[in-house]
Amino acid sequence: MKSSQEIAYYFILSLLAASVVILGLVLLFFCRRKPVESEESLPAARISAQAYPSTDIDAATDGFNHRRVIGSGRLSTVYAAVLPSDQKLVAVKRIHPSLVLSNACFGFSSILKTLSLAQHPNLVPILGFSQAPGERIIVMECVGGMSLDYYLHENPDGASSVLDWSLRIRIAAGAARGLEYLHEGMTPNIVHGCFKASNVLFDDMFRARVSDYGLSSFVANKKRGLVGHVDDEFWSDGRGEACKESDVYGFGVVLLELLTGRRAEEGLLVRWALPLIREMRLSELLDLRIVKPSDTRAIARLAKVASACVNNSRKSRPTMFQVATILNNLEIEVCA
């Protein structure tokens, strides 16, 4: 029979052996090599905007030929252009010389590189830029279609030829997704700064594509083209400071344009439409150029979203995430 000392000895040996095994398992767990990911499993890297030589831009626009002009606004003149490097059709935005000379375009290249990282089906992507003395150029994808402003207010065939009620809901939802992505999907977040119907373009599938986002700092003190599209708080500091809440207000104005077929009219549209929405007098509110649907529940919900965007103060205004969620569900119900 073993003595108590021998039993204690074998017990200690057993504990030591068990400790060695456990230590080995721990080392194996923490020191094992991480499997190498295949290229297919790695996320695609975002590529920032390309810097184009001024000679390429000059050749692409035929020396900024006036026949290539496809638009003009408070920031720039836009040209349809073909890049000589790959014969790709693009939109070239030539920032007005007065803004360049006033030093409004300070930090131009770094701003454009950041904005170009925004990639979403409901955005018009920024492809590149060009700089020269007195010149600042933005190169964007040319989506091919006209703007929402054109179809609502300038189309000679009338809005009824294209924009029925289901399509208007689809346009609203698509634009909301694009703006929501800028506000929530980008780091740092991007404030559009000048959201209005002329900045909602259409591709060949008639999908809403938001353009001109993040460029408001270049024209911060210019009221032309902004009055009626931003809230009163926008001008409270005298400088015109853009924020997410002012974007939501601008989105609400666009919803009112979709509902009524009327222009923003420097704030008159909001003051005219809100009492009608409050009392649900849809027959007086809705665009008379198209037939009112037999079931107006979806249109009434769209009107309530518009009212929440423009009627509330900034503190109680919905976010674009909330707005996009409602409109996405509405699109599924109406357009599926």
Side-chain angles (χ1 to χ4, degrees):
M1 186 175 179
K2 295 181 180 178
S3 66
S4 58
Q5 288 183 333
E6 288 178 315
I7 292 173
Y9 176 76
Y10 286 119
F11 179 74
I12 292 171
L13 285 179
S14 299
L15 286 177
L16 288 174
S19 299
V20 170
V21 171
I22 292 171
L23 179 61
L25 290 172
V26 169
L27 291 173
L28 180 64
F29 177 81
F30 284 103
C31 299
R32 64 182 179 181
R33 293 183 61 186
K34 185 179 179 180
V36 177
E37 296 182 88
S38 67
E39 291 185 3
E40 290 79 14
S41 66
L42 293 172
R46 291 176 174 175
I47 302 174
S48 61
Q50 176 182 348
Y52 288 97
S54 57
T55 51
D56 282 6
I57 301 300
D58 191 66
T61 59
D62 297 332
F64 297 105
N65 192 312
H66 70 277
R67 293 187 180 88
R68 287 190 171 271
V69 174
I70 56 175
S72 182
R74 69 192 193 108
L75 173 67
S76 64
T77 302
V78 187
Y79 299 80
V82 178
L83 294 173
S85 56
D86 56 10
Q87 297 300 301
K88 183 176 183 177
L89 179 65
V90 296
V92 168
K93 299 176 72 69
R94 186 187 196 187
I95 294 181
H96 298 313
S98 60
L99 295 173
V100 178
L101 295 175
S102 69
N103 206 32
C105 296
F106 181 76
F108 178 76
S109 61
S110 60
I111 291 173
L112 266 293
K113 287 178 180 178
T114 298
L115 295 177
S116 68
L117 297 177
Q119 302 289 327
H120 189 275
N122 293 109
L123 296 180
V124 178
I126 293 173
L127 305 177
F129 63 93
S130 181
Q131 296 186 87
E135 290 280 10
R136 297 293 184 273
I137 306 295
I138 304 172
V139 180
M140 307 184 74
E141 180 182 306
C142 189
V143 298
M146 304 297 288
S147 71
L148 176 59
D149 183 80
Y150 171 84
Y151 282 111
L152 283 177
H153 309 306
E154 298 179 17
N155 185 7
D157 297 329
S160 60
S161 64
V162 177
L163 304 183
D164 59 21
W165 286 116
S166 62
L167 184 53
R168 293 187 191 208
I169 290 173
R170 181 179 150 205
I171 291 167
R177 287 191 292 270
L179 196 52
E180 179 207 2
Y181 172 81
L182 294 175
H183 284 191
E184 310 297 339
M186 287 295 297
T187 304
N189 300 153
I190 296 174
V191 172
H192 189 290
C194 185
F195 189 85
K196 53 185 179 177
S198 59
N199 289 330
V200 178
L201 307 181
F202 299 107
D203 57 21
D204 53 6
M205 295 184 293
F206 224 80
R207 176 175 52 191
R209 309 279 293 276
V210 177
S211 69
D212 286 6
Y213 44 87
L215 304 177
S216 60
S217 61
F218 298 150
V219 281
N221 297 319
K222 300 288 184 181
K223 286 191 175 184
R224 183 174 68 88
L226 263 186
V227 178
H229 300 280
V230 294
D231 53 18
D232 293 337
E233 297 98 320
F234 187 90
W235 308 111
S236 60
D237 62 358
R239 295 181 299 141
E241 192 68 30
C243 63
K244 292 180 181 181
E245 291 81 6
S246 62
D247 278 355
V248 173
Y249 183 95
F251 184 83
V253 173
V254 170
L255 290 186
L256 291 179
E257 292 186 61
L258 282 166
L259 286 162
T260 67
R262 299 177 179 232
R263 289 188 183 276
E265 300 175 303
E266 298 190 348
L268 294 178
L269 174 60
V270 171
R271 292 193 288 273
W272 171 79
L274 284 180
L276 299 179
I277 296 174
R278 196 177 302 117
E279 299 171 17
M280 276 292 119
R281 290 151 58 187
L282 295 182
S283 296
E284 298 173 56
L285 177 77
L286 300 182
D287 192 339
L288 297 176
R289 295 171 296 178
I290 53 178
V291 178
K292 187 174 73 171
S294 56
D295 186 349
T296 59
R297 285 176 296 181
I299 303 300
R301 287 169 63 188
L302 191 66
K304 289 178 181 178
V305 173
S307 175
C309 290
V310 300
N311 193 33
N312 293 328
S313 65
R314 286 186 172 181
K315 290 183 179 179
S316 56
R317 200 168 289 162
T319 65
M320 279 312 304
F321 171 78
Q322 294 169 320
V323 171
T325 299
I326 295 170
L327 295 185
N328 285 338
N329 292 333
L330 200 58
E331 180 185 23
I332 292 171
E333 292 174 16
V334 175
C335 305

